[in-house]
Amino acid sequence: PGWFSEMSPMWPGEAHSLKVEKVLFQGKSDYQDVIVFQSATYGKVLVLDGVIQLTERDECAYQEMITHLPLCSIPNPKKVLVIGGGDGGVLREVARHASVEQIDMCEIDKMVVDVSKQFFPNVAIGYEDPRVNLVIGDGVAFLKNAAEGSYDAVIVDSSDPIGPAKELFEKPFFQSVARALRPGGVVCTQAESLWLHMDIIEDIVSNCREIFKGSVNYAWTSVPTYPSGVIGFMLCSTEGPDVDFKHPVNPIDESSSKSNGPLKFYNAEIHSAAFCLPSFAKKVIESK
Ligand SMILES: NCCCN[C@H]1CC[C@H](NCCCN)CC1
């Protein structure tokens, strides 16, 4: 009954709105306000502290890209760590990779996990994979305790730098990710919008260039229900075997992707295209 408008100091002067049919859940976890509502045209919607996290209609774009951009860029991912991602969508996508043997996940807010399982079964299906080990806790602490060189890939599926995810955008966290990755290992992080946050992106790119001595690239994709309609990703690799993010070496095997339904968004061409940047962004990102 009415409209939800996504207002935030992170995108002043603008607000994407969705027509609300019914509020399905309202709660307050130890970390944030949690709302689920049935929208008129985007399916169910998950909102944390007033910020849209995912909608059933377009979550495929974000979950598929944040997962397959890194995992299709290395030949044989076996051990994967997901920081955040409590809705389970990234787990659903990692599970498509037959080479993966272990998927660790560290999500700080149990309410997000429980709410996703209750209202977003096609997203939370990722939790059903036997390779998944879920830890409810702080990703910063998890990585501090992780053994050096333990993972082939780390995916940081975070909310934004205002709220519980703030530290996931800071230098010490990137350093702990680099330490937990094997030589030639890869990390993919949620890296905001090049229309809205070139300053945040500039800082992230500078930190990543200092810390990751392999490749450092920024990719972006279309997600209609994120502010400015796009979201970006930092793709970095540690020193060691070369990683060319722009040319996927490890295509998703069609048969292994049947388990959780077909890929709706990701494909090899859109993988390479994701790294093509508008000039105003290229200037900043490639000069750092
Ligand atoms: N697994 C889905 C989690 C989604 N992560 C984030 C949710 C907040 C969203 N704000 C975008 C703000 C403008 N860049 C970015 C993705």
Side-chain angles (χ1 to χ4, degrees), residues 189-202:
T189 77
Q190 190 267 103
E192 303 299 345
S193 160
L194 47 72
W195 282 114
L196 302 171
H197 305 124
M198 274 321 298
D199 49 345
I200 297 176
I201 294 168
E202 193 167 356

Side-chain angles (χ1 to χ4, degrees), residues 11 51-54 62-63 85 87 90 157-160 190 192-193 196-197 226-227 230-231:
W11 37 91
V51 176
I52 293 171
Q53 302 296 304
L54 64 87
Y62 176 90
Q63 321 278 21
D87 51 71
V90 168
D157 175 16
S158 70
S159 48
D160 299 307
Q190 190 267 103
E192 303 299 345
S193 160
L196 302 171
H197 305 124
Y226 288 159
V230 299
I231 191 74

